[in-house]
Coordinates of all heavy atoms in Angstrom, one line a residue:
M1 N -11.8 2.4 -43.8 CA -12.5 1.6 -42.8 C -11.5 0.8 -42.0 O -11.7 0.6 -40.8 CB -13.6 0.8 -43.4 CG -14.5 0.2 -42.4 SD -15.4 1.5 -41.5 CE -16.6 0.5 -40.6
E2 N -10.5 0.2 -42.7 CA -9.5 -0.6 -42.0 C -8.7 0.2 -41.0 O -8.3 -0.3 -40.0 CB -8.5 -1.2 -43.0 CG -9.1 -2.4 -43.8 CD -8.0 -3.0 -44.6 OE1 -6.9 -3.0 -44.3 OE2 -8.4 -3.6 -45.7
Q3 N -8.4 1.5 -41.3 CA -7.7 2.3 -40.4 C -8.5 2.5 -39.1 O -7.9 2.5 -38.0 CB -7.4 3.7 -41.0 CG -6.4 3.7 -42.1 CD -6.2 5.0 -42.8 OE1 -7.1 5.9 -42.7 NE2 -5.1 5.2 -43.3
Y4 N -9.8 2.7 -39.2 CA -10.6 2.9 -38.0 C -10.7 1.6 -37.2 O -10.7 1.7 -36.0 CB -12.0 3.4 -38.4 CG -12.0 4.8 -39.0 CD1 -12.5 5.1 -40.2 CD2 -11.5 5.9 -38.2 CE1 -12.5 6.4 -40.7 CE2 -11.5 7.1 -38.7 CZ -12.0 7.4 -39.9 OH -12.0 8.7 -40.4
S5 N -10.8 0.5 -37.9 CA -10.9 -0.8 -37.1 C -9.6 -1.0 -36.4 O -9.6 -1.5 -35.2 CB -11.2 -1.9 -38.1 OG -10.2 -2.2 -39.0
G6 N -8.5 -0.7 -36.9 CA -7.2 -0.9 -36.2 C -7.1 0.1 -35.0 O -6.6 -0.3 -34.0
L7 N -7.6 1.3 -35.2 CA -7.6 2.3 -34.2 C -8.5 1.9 -33.0 O -8.2 2.0 -31.9 CB -8.0 3.7 -34.7 CG -7.9 4.8 -33.7 CD1 -6.5 5.0 -33.2 CD2 -8.4 6.1 -34.4
I8 N -9.7 1.3 -33.4 CA -10.6 0.9 -32.4 C -10.0 -0.3 -31.6 O -10.2 -0.4 -30.4 CB -12.0 0.5 -33.1 CG1 -12.6 1.8 -33.6 CG2 -12.9 -0.3 -32.1 CD1 -13.9 1.5 -34.4
M9 N -9.3 -1.2 -32.3 CA -8.7 -2.4 -31.6 C -7.7 -1.9 -30.6 O -7.6 -2.4 -29.5 CB -8.1 -3.3 -32.6 CG -9.1 -4.1 -33.4 SD -10.2 -5.1 -32.4 CE -9.1 -6.3 -31.7
I10 N -6.9 -0.9 -31.0 CA -5.9 -0.4 -30.1 C -6.5 0.3 -28.9 O -6.1 0.1 -27.7 CB -4.9 0.6 -30.8 CG1 -4.1 -0.1 -31.8 CG2 -4.1 1.4 -29.8 CD1 -3.2 0.7 -32.7
L11 N -7.6 1.0 -29.1 CA -8.3 1.7 -28.0 C -8.9 0.7 -27.1 O -8.9 0.8 -25.9 CB -9.4 2.6 -28.6 CG -10.2 3.4 -27.6 CD1 -9.2 4.4 -26.9 CD2 -11.3 4.2 -28.3
I12 N -9.5 -0.4 -27.6 CA -10.1 -1.5 -26.8 C -9.0 -2.2 -26.0 O -9.2 -2.4 -24.8 CB -10.8 -2.5 -27.7 CG1 -12.1 -1.9 -28.2 CG2 -11.1 -3.8 -26.9 CD1 -12.8 -2.7 -29.3
M13 N -7.8 -2.4 -26.6 CA -6.7 -3.0 -25.8 C -6.3 -2.1 -24.7 O -6.0 -2.5 -23.6 CB -5.6 -3.3 -26.7 CG -5.9 -4.5 -27.7 SD -4.6 -4.8 -28.9 CE -3.2 -5.2 -27.9
F14 N -6.2 -0.8 -24.9 CA -5.8 0.2 -23.9 C -6.8 0.2 -22.7 O -6.4 0.1 -21.6 CB -5.7 1.6 -24.5 CG -5.3 2.6 -23.4 CD1 -4.0 2.7 -22.9 CD2 -6.3 3.5 -22.9 CE1 -3.7 3.6 -21.9 CE2 -6.0 4.4 -21.9 CZ -4.7 4.5 -21.4
V15 N -8.1 0.2 -23.0 CA -9.1 0.1 -22.0 C -9.0 -1.1 -21.2 O -9.1 -1.1 -20.0 CB -10.5 0.3 -22.6 CG1 -11.6 0.1 -21.6 CG2 -10.6 1.7 -23.2
A16 N -8.8 -2.3 -21.9 CA -8.7 -3.6 -21.2 C -7.5 -3.5 -20.3 O -7.6 -4.0 -19.1 CB -8.6 -4.7 -22.2
M17 N -6.4 -3.0 -20.7 CA -5.1 -2.9 -19.9 C -5.4 -2.0 -18.7 O -4.9 -2.3 -17.6 CB -4.0 -2.4 -20.7 CG -3.5 -3.3 -21.7 SD -2.7 -4.8 -21.1 CE -1.2 -4.1 -20.5
W18 N -6.2 -1.0 -18.9 CA -6.5 -0.1 -17.8 C -7.3 -0.8 -16.7 O -6.9 -0.8 -15.5 CB -7.3 1.1 -18.3 CG -7.9 2.0 -17.2 CD1 -9.1 1.9 -16.6 CD2 -7.2 3.0 -16.5 NE1 -9.2 2.9 -15.6 CE2 -8.0 3.5 -15.5 CE3 -5.9 3.5 -16.7 CZ2 -7.6 4.6 -14.7 CZ3 -5.5 4.6 -15.8 CH2 -6.4 5.1 -14.9
F19 N -8.3 -1.6 -17.1 CA -9.1 -2.3 -16.1 C -8.4 -3.5 -15.5 O -8.7 -3.9 -14.4 CB -10.5 -2.7 -16.7 CG -11.4 -1.6 -16.8 CD1 -11.7 -1.0 -18.0 CD2 -12.0 -1.1 -15.6 CE1 -12.6 0.1 -18.0 CE2 -12.9 -0.1 -15.7 CZ -13.2 0.5 -16.9
I20 N -7.5 -4.1 -16.2 CA -6.8 -5.3 -15.7 C -5.6 -5.0 -14.9 O -5.4 -5.7 -13.9 CB -6.4 -6.2 -16.9 CG1 -7.7 -6.8 -17.6 CG2 -5.6 -7.4 -16.5 CD1 -7.5 -7.5 -18.9
L21 N -4.8 -4.0 -15.3 CA -3.5 -3.7 -14.6 C -3.5 -2.4 -13.8 O -3.2 -2.4 -12.6 CB -2.4 -3.7 -15.6 CG -2.2 -5.0 -16.4 CD1 -1.1 -4.9 -17.4 CD2 -1.8 -6.1 -15.4
I22 N -3.8 -1.3 -14.5 CA -3.5 0.0 -13.9 C -4.5 0.3 -12.7 O -4.1 0.7 -11.7 CB -3.6 1.1 -14.9 CG1 -2.5 0.8 -16.0 CG2 -3.4 2.4 -14.3 CD1 -2.5 1.7 -17.2
R23 N -5.8 0.1 -13.0 CA -6.8 0.4 -12.0 C -6.7 -0.3 -10.7 O -6.7 0.3 -9.6 CB -8.2 0.2 -12.6 CG -9.3 0.7 -11.7 CD -10.6 0.7 -12.5 NE -11.7 1.1 -11.7 CZ -12.7 0.2 -11.3 NH1 -12.8 -1.0 -11.8 NH2 -13.7 0.7 -10.5
P24 N -6.5 -1.7 -10.7 CA -6.3 -2.4 -9.4 C -5.1 -2.0 -8.7 O -5.1 -1.9 -7.4 CB -6.3 -3.9 -9.8 CG -7.0 -3.9 -11.1 CD -6.7 -2.6 -11.8
A25 N -4.0 -1.7 -9.4 CA -2.7 -1.3 -8.8 C -2.9 0.0 -8.1 O -2.4 0.3 -7.0 CB -1.6 -1.3 -9.8
K26 N -3.6 1.0 -8.7 CA -3.8 2.3 -8.2 C -4.7 2.2 -6.9 O -4.4 2.8 -5.9 CB -4.4 3.2 -9.2 CG -4.6 4.6 -8.8 CD -5.2 5.5 -9.8 CE -4.1 6.1 -10.7 NZ -4.6 7.1 -11.6
K27 N -5.7 1.3 -7.0 CA -6.6 1.2 -5.8 C -5.9 0.6 -4.6 O -6.0 1.0 -3.5 CB -7.8 0.3 -6.2 CG -8.8 0.1 -5.2 CD -10.0 -0.7 -5.6 CE -11.0 -0.9 -4.5 NZ -12.1 -1.8 -4.9
R28 N -5.0 -0.4 -4.9 CA -4.2 -1.1 -3.9 C -3.3 -0.1 -3.2 O -3.1 0.0 -2.0 CB -3.5 -2.3 -4.5 CG -3.0 -3.3 -3.5 CD -2.5 -4.6 -4.1 NE -1.9 -4.4 -5.5 CZ -2.4 -4.9 -6.6 NH1 -3.6 -5.4 -6.6 NH2 -1.8 -4.7 -7.7
Q29 N -2.6 0.8 -4.0 CA -1.7 1.8 -3.5 C -2.5 2.8 -2.7 O -1.9 3.2 -1.6 CB -1.1 2.5 -4.7 CG -0.1 3.6 -4.3 CD 0.6 4.3 -5.5 OE1 0.0 4.2 -6.6 NE2 1.7 4.9 -5.3
Q30 N -3.6 3.2 -3.0 CA -4.4 4.2 -2.2 C -4.8 3.5 -0.9 O -4.8 4.2 0.1 CB -5.7 4.6 -3.0 CG -5.4 5.6 -4.1 CD -6.6 5.9 -4.9 OE1 -7.6 5.2 -4.9 NE2 -6.5 6.9 -5.7
E31 N -5.2 2.3 -0.9 CA -5.5 1.6 0.3 C -4.3 1.5 1.3 O -4.5 1.7 2.5 CB -6.1 0.2 0.0 CG -7.4 0.2 -0.6 CD -7.9 -1.2 -1.1 OE1 -7.0 -2.2 -1.0 OE2 -9.0 -1.4 -1.5
T32 N -3.2 1.2 0.7 CA -1.9 1.1 1.5 C -1.6 2.5 2.1 O -1.3 2.6 3.3 CB -0.8 0.6 0.7 OG1 -1.1 -0.7 0.2 CG2 0.5 0.5 1.5
Q33 N -1.7 3.5 1.3 CA -1.4 4.9 1.9 C -2.4 5.3 2.9 O -2.0 5.9 3.9 CB -1.4 5.9 0.7 CG -0.2 5.8 -0.2 CD -0.3 6.8 -1.3 OE1 -1.4 7.3 -1.7 NE2 0.9 7.2 -1.9
S34 N -3.6 4.9 2.8 CA -4.7 5.2 3.8 C -4.4 4.5 5.1 O -4.4 5.0 6.2 CB -6.0 4.8 3.3 OG -7.0 5.0 4.3
M35 N -4.0 3.2 5.0 CA -3.7 2.4 6.2 C -2.4 3.0 6.9 O -2.4 3.1 8.1 CB -3.4 0.9 5.7 CG -3.0 0.0 6.9 SD -1.2 -0.1 7.3 CE -0.5 -0.6 5.7
Q36 N -1.4 3.4 6.1 CA -0.2 3.9 6.7 C -0.5 5.3 7.4 O 0.2 5.6 8.4 CB 0.9 4.0 5.7 CG 1.4 2.7 5.3 CD 2.4 2.7 4.1 OE1 2.5 3.7 3.4 NE2 3.1 1.6 3.8
S37 N -1.4 6.1 6.9 CA -1.6 7.4 7.5 C -2.6 7.3 8.7 O -2.6 8.2 9.5 CB -2.2 8.3 6.4 OG -3.5 7.9 6.0
N38 N -3.3 6.1 8.8 CA -4.2 6.0 10.0 C -3.6 5.1 11.1 O -4.4 4.6 11.9 CB -5.5 5.4 9.5 CG -6.3 6.4 8.6 OD1 -6.2 7.6 8.9 ND2 -6.9 5.9 7.6
L39 N -2.3 4.8 11.1 CA -1.7 4.0 12.1 C -1.8 4.7 13.5 O -1.7 5.9 13.5 CB -0.2 3.7 11.8 CG 0.0 2.8 10.5 CD1 1.5 2.8 10.2 CD2 -0.5 1.4 10.8
Q40 N -2.0 3.9 14.5 CA -2.1 4.4 15.8 C -1.1 3.7 16.8 O -0.8 2.5 16.5 CB -3.5 4.3 16.4 CG -4.5 5.1 15.6 CD -5.9 4.9 16.0 OE1 -6.1 4.1 17.0 NE2 -6.9 5.6 15.4
R41 N -0.8 4.3 17.9 CA 0.0 3.6 18.9 C -0.7 2.4 19.4 O -1.9 2.5 19.7 CB 0.3 4.6 20.0 CG 1.3 4.1 21.0 CD 1.8 5.1 22.0 NE 2.8 4.6 22.8 CZ 2.8 4.5 24.1 NH1 1.8 5.0 24.8 NH2 3.8 4.0 24.7
G42 N 0.0 1.3 19.6 CA -0.6 0.1 20.1 C -1.1 -0.9 19.0 O -1.4 -2.0 19.3
D43 N -1.1 -0.4 17.7 CA -1.5 -1.3 16.6 C -0.4 -2.4 16.4 O 0.8 -2.1 16.5 CB -1.6 -0.6 15.3 CG -2.9 0.3 15.2 OD1 -3.8 0.0 16.0 OD2 -3.0 1.1 14.3
K44 N -0.8 -3.6 16.2 CA 0.1 -4.7 15.9 C 0.3 -4.7 14.4 O -0.7 -4.8 13.7 CB -0.4 -6.0 16.4 CG -0.4 -6.0 18.0 CD -0.9 -7.3 18.5 CE -1.1 -7.2 20.0 NZ -0.2 -7.8 20.8
V45 N 1.5 -4.7 13.9 CA 1.7 -4.5 12.5 C 2.8 -5.5 12.0 O 3.5 -6.1 12.8 CB 2.2 -3.1 12.1 CG1 1.1 -2.1 12.4 CG2 3.5 -2.7 12.8
I46 N 2.9 -5.7 10.7 CA 3.9 -6.5 10.0 C 4.5 -5.6 9.0 O 3.9 -4.9 8.2 CB 3.4 -7.7 9.4 CG1 2.7 -8.6 10.4 CG2 4.5 -8.5 8.6 CD1 2.0 -9.8 9.8
T47 N 5.9 -5.5 9.0 CA 6.6 -4.6 8.1 C 6.7 -5.4 6.7 O 6.4 -6.6 6.6 CB 8.0 -4.3 8.5 OG1 8.8 -5.5 8.6 CG2 8.0 -3.6 9.9
I48 N 7.1 -4.6 5.7 CA 7.2 -5.3 4.4 C 8.3 -6.3 4.3 O 8.4 -7.1 3.5 CB 7.4 -4.2 3.3 CG1 8.6 -3.3 3.5 CG2 6.2 -3.4 3.1 CD1 8.9 -2.4 2.4
G49 N 9.2 -6.2 5.3 CA 10.3 -7.2 5.5 C 9.9 -8.4 6.3 O 10.6 -9.4 6.4
G50 N 8.7 -8.4 6.9 CA 8.2 -9.5 7.6 C 8.4 -9.5 9.1 O 8.1 -10.4 9.8
L51 N 8.8 -8.3 9.6 CA 9.0 -8.2 11.1 C 7.7 -7.8 11.8 O 7.0 -6.9 11.4 CB 10.1 -7.1 11.3 CG 10.5 -6.9 12.8 CD1 11.4 -8.0 13.2 CD2 11.3 -5.6 12.9
H52 N 7.4 -8.6 12.8 CA 6.1 -8.4 13.6 C 6.5 -7.5 14.8 O 7.5 -7.7 15.4 CB 5.6 -9.7 14.1 CG 5.1 -10.6 13.0 ND1 3.8 -10.9 12.9 CD2 5.7 -11.2 11.9 CE1 3.6 -11.7 11.8 NE2 4.8 -11.9 11.2
G53 N 5.6 -6.5 15.1 CA 5.8 -5.7 16.2 C 4.6 -4.9 16.5 O 3.5 -4.9 15.9
E54 N 4.7 -4.1 17.6 CA 3.6 -3.2 18.1 C 4.1 -1.8 18.0 O 5.2 -1.5 18.4 CB 3.2 -3.6 19.5 CG 2.1 -2.8 20.1 CD 1.7 -3.2 21.5 OE1 1.9 -4.4 21.8 OE2 1.2 -2.4 22.2
I55 N 3.3 -0.9 17.5 CA 3.7 0.5 17.4 C 3.8 1.1 18.8 O 2.9 1.1 19.6 CB 2.7 1.3 16.5 CG1 2.7 0.7 15.1 CG2 3.1 2.8 16.5 CD1 1.7 1.4 14.2
D56 N 5.0 1.6 19.0 CA 5.3 2.3 20.3 C 5.2 3.8 20.2 O 4.7 4.4 21.1 CB 6.7 1.9 20.8 CG 7.1 2.4 22.2 OD1 6.3 2.1 23.1 OD2 8.1 3.1 22.3
S57 N 5.7 4.4 19.1 CA 5.5 5.8 18.9 C 5.5 6.1 17.4 O 6.0 5.3 16.6 CB 6.7 6.6 19.6 OG 7.9 6.3 19.0
I58 N 4.9 7.2 17.1 CA 4.7 7.7 15.7 C 5.2 9.1 15.6 O 4.8 10.0 16.4 CB 3.2 7.6 15.3 CG1 2.7 6.2 15.4 CG2 3.0 8.1 13.9 CD1 1.2 6.0 15.1
E59 N 6.0 9.3 14.6 CA 6.5 10.6 14.2 C 6.0 10.9 12.8 O 5.2 10.1 12.3 CB 8.0 10.7 14.3 CG 8.5 10.5 15.7 CD 10.0 10.4 15.8 OE1 10.7 10.8 14.8 OE2 10.6 9.9 16.8
D60 N 6.4 12.0 12.3 CA 5.9 12.4 10.9 C 6.2 11.3 9.9 O 5.2 10.9 9.2 CB 6.5 13.7 10.5 CG 6.0 14.9 11.2 OD1 4.9 14.8 11.8 OD2 6.7 15.9 11.2
T61 N 7.4 10.9 9.7 CA 7.8 9.9 8.7 C 8.3 8.6 9.2 O 8.5 7.7 8.5 CB 8.8 10.5 7.7 OG1 10.0 10.9 8.5 CG2 8.3 11.8 7.0
T62 N 8.4 8.5 10.6 CA 9.0 7.3 11.1 C 8.0 6.7 12.2 O 7.2 7.4 12.8 CB 10.4 7.5 11.8 OG1 10.2 8.5 12.8 CG2 11.4 8.0 10.7
I63 N 8.2 5.4 12.4 CA 7.4 4.7 13.4 C 8.4 3.9 14.2 O 9.3 3.2 13.6 CB 6.3 3.8 12.8 CG1 5.3 4.7 12.2 CG2 5.7 2.9 13.8 CD1 4.2 4.0 11.5
T64 N 8.2 3.9 15.5 CA 9.1 3.0 16.4 C 8.2 1.8 16.8 O 7.1 1.9 17.3 CB 9.5 3.8 17.6 OG1 10.2 4.9 17.3 CG2 10.4 2.9 18.5
L65 N 8.8 0.6 16.5 CA 8.1 -0.7 16.8 C 8.7 -1.3 18.0 O 10.0 -1.3 18.1 CB 8.2 -1.6 15.6 CG 7.4 -1.3 14.3 CD1 7.6 -2.4 13.3 CD2 5.9 -1.1 14.6
K66 N 7.9 -1.8 18.9 CA 8.4 -2.6 20.0 C 8.3 -4.1 19.5 O 7.2 -4.6 19.2 CB 7.5 -2.4 21.2 CG 7.9 -3.2 22.4 CD 7.0 -3.0 23.6 CE 7.3 -3.8 24.7 NZ 6.3 -3.7 25.8
I67 N 9.4 -4.7 19.4 CA 9.4 -6.1 18.9 C 9.7 -7.1 20.0 O 9.4 -8.3 19.8 CB 10.4 -6.3 17.7 CG1 11.8 -5.9 18.1 CG2 10.0 -5.5 16.5 CD1 12.9 -6.2 17.1
A68 N 10.2 -6.7 21.1 CA 10.3 -7.5 22.3 C 10.5 -6.6 23.5 O 10.5 -5.4 23.3 CB 11.6 -8.4 22.1
D69 N 10.6 -7.2 24.7 CA 10.8 -6.4 25.9 C 12.1 -5.6 25.7 O 13.1 -6.2 25.4 CB 10.8 -7.2 27.1 CG 9.5 -7.8 27.5 OD1 8.4 -7.3 27.0 OD2 9.4 -8.9 28.1
N70 N 12.0 -4.3 25.9 CA 13.2 -3.4 25.9 C 13.9 -3.4 24.5 O 15.1 -3.1 24.4 CB 14.2 -3.7 27.0 CG 13.6 -3.5 28.3 OD1 12.8 -2.6 28.5 ND2 13.9 -4.4 29.3
V71 N 13.2 -3.8 23.4 CA 13.7 -3.8 22.1 C 12.8 -3.0 21.2 O 11.7 -3.3 21.0 CB 13.9 -5.2 21.5 CG1 14.5 -5.1 20.1 CG2 14.8 -6.0 22.4
R72 N 13.3 -1.8 20.7 CA 12.5 -1.0 19.9 C 13.4 -0.7 18.6 O 14.5 -0.4 18.7 CB 12.2 0.3 20.6 CG 11.1 0.1 21.6 CD 10.9 1.2 22.6 NE 9.8 1.0 23.5 CZ 9.8 0.1 24.5 NH1 10.8 -0.7 24.6 NH2 8.8 0.0 25.3
V73 N 12.6 -0.7 17.5 CA 13.3 -0.5 16.2 C 12.5 0.6 15.5 O 11.3 0.7 15.5 CB 13.3 -1.8 15.4 CG1 14.0 -1.6 14.0 CG2 13.9 -2.9 16.2
K74 N 13.3 1.5 14.8 CA 12.7 2.6 14.1 C 12.6 2.3 12.6 O 13.6 1.8 12.0 CB 13.5 3.9 14.3 CG 12.8 5.1 13.7 CD 13.6 6.4 14.1 CE 13.2 6.8 15.5 NZ 13.7 8.2 15.8
F75 N 11.4 2.5 12.0 CA 11.1 2.2 10.6 C 10.5 3.5 9.9 O 9.9 4.3 10.6 CB 10.1 1.1 10.4 CG 10.7 -0.3 10.6 CD1 10.6 -0.9 11.9 CD2 11.3 -1.0 9.6 CE1 11.1 -2.1 12.1 CE2 11.8 -2.2 9.8 CZ 11.8 -2.8 11.1
D76 N 10.7 3.6 8.6 CA 9.9 4.6 7.9 C 8.5 4.1 7.9 O 8.2 2.9 7.9 CB 10.4 4.7 6.4 CG 11.7 5.5 6.3 OD1 12.0 6.2 7.2 OD2 12.3 5.3 5.2
R77 N 7.6 5.1 7.8 CA 6.1 4.8 7.8 C 5.8 3.9 6.6 O 4.9 3.0 6.7 CB 5.3 6.1 7.7 CG 3.9 5.9 8.0 CD 3.2 7.3 7.9 NE 3.4 8.1 9.1 CZ 2.5 8.2 10.1 NH1 1.3 7.6 10.0 NH2 2.8 9.0 11.1
Q78 N 6.5 4.1 5.5 CA 6.2 3.3 4.3 C 6.6 1.8 4.4 O 6.2 1.0 3.6 CB 6.8 3.9 3.0 CG 6.2 5.2 2.6 CD 6.8 6.4 3.4 OE1 7.8 6.3 4.0 NE2 6.1 7.5 3.3
A79 N 7.4 1.5 5.4 CA 7.8 0.1 5.6 C 6.8 -0.7 6.3 O 6.9 -2.0 6.3 CB 9.1 0.1 6.5
I80 N 5.7 -0.1 6.7 CA 4.6 -0.9 7.4 C 3.7 -1.6 6.3 O 3.2 -0.9 5.4 CB 3.7 -0.1 8.3 CG1 4.6 0.6 9.3 CG2 2.6 -0.9 8.9 CD1 5.4 -0.3 10.2
G81 N 3.7 -2.9 6.2 CA 3.0 -3.6 5.2 C 1.5 -3.8 5.5 O 0.7 -3.7 4.6
R82 N 1.2 -4.1 6.7 CA -0.2 -4.4 7.1 C -0.4 -4.4 8.6 O 0.5 -4.5 9.3 CB -0.7 -5.7 6.5 CG 0.0 -6.9 6.9 CD -0.5 -8.1 6.2 NE 0.4 -9.2 6.5 CZ 0.0 -10.4 6.8 NH1 -1.3 -10.7 7.0 NH2 0.9 -11.4 7.1
I83 N -1.6 -4.2 9.0 CA -2.0 -4.3 10.4 C -2.6 -5.7 10.7 O -3.3 -6.2 9.9 CB -3.1 -3.2 10.7 CG1 -2.6 -1.8 10.5 CG2 -3.6 -3.3 12.1 CD1 -3.6 -0.7 10.6
V84 N -2.2 -6.2 11.8 CA -2.6 -7.6 12.2 C -3.8 -7.4 13.2 O -3.7 -6.7 14.2 CB -1.5 -8.4 12.9 CG1 -1.9 -9.7 13.3 CG2 -0.3 -8.4 12.0
N85 N -4.9 -8.1 12.9 CA -6.0 -8.0 13.8 C -6.0 -9.2 14.8 O -6.5 -10.3 14.5 CB -7.3 -8.1 13.0 CG -7.5 -6.9 12.1 OD1 -7.0 -5.8 12.5 ND2 -8.1 -7.0 11.0
N86 N -5.4 -9.0 15.9 CA -5.3 -10.0 17.0 C -6.1 -9.5 18.2 O -6.0 -8.6 18.7 CB -3.9 -10.4 17.4 CG -3.2 -11.2 16.3 OD1 -3.8 -11.5 15.3 ND2 -2.0 -11.7 16.6

């Protein structure tokens, strides 16, 4: 019976870790991927490095941001951290 109680405790700990750590991280990653795949020209975004800009053009894996007049910078799509609602 002691063997089963130890096994049950390990199983309970694994389930708790799943709900506390793994599941929220996976959900956050899916939301980020969805946001990055639905980017459109004209969206105001912030990169993971903190640079604010407006999407000027979109290619398969890269995005060109307009950060000032006549200043455009090319980033990987994964570098976009979030969309700003202004």
Side-chain angles (χ1 to χ4, degrees):
M1 191 66 171
E2 282 185 32
Q3 290 177 333
Y4 290 122
S5 65
L7 184 61
I8 290 172
M9 289 301 293
I10 291 173
L11 186 61
I12 289 172
M13 289 174 61
F14 178 75
V15 170
M17 292 294 283
W18 173 264
F19 281 106
I20 293 172
L21 298 176
I22 298 170
R23 187 170 175 245
K26 187 180 267 190
K27 184 177 179 184
R28 199 168 32 252
Q29 182 182 18
Q30 287 175 344
E31 289 172 354
T32 301
Q33 285 179 338
S34 174
M35 178 271 302
Q36 290 172 347
S37 66
N38 293 323
L39 292 171
Q40 298 176 358
R41 186 170 189 238
D43 285 346
K44 294 181 191 253
V45 297
I46 301 175
T47 65
I48 57 174
L51 186 70
H52 293 242
E54 182 178 332
I55 296 177
D56 186 53
S57 67
I58 299 175
E59 297 174 16
D60 289 338
T61 59
T62 60
I63 290 180
T64 303
L65 291 183
K66 179 180 177 185
I67 56 173
D69 292 336
N70 298 322
V71 179
R72 287 167 176 68
V73 182
K74 189 176 276 195
F75 284 93
D76 282 342
R77 190 179 287 256
Q78 289 82 17
I80 305 301
R82 61 186 168 130
I83 297 175
V84 179
N85 296 327
N86 283 5

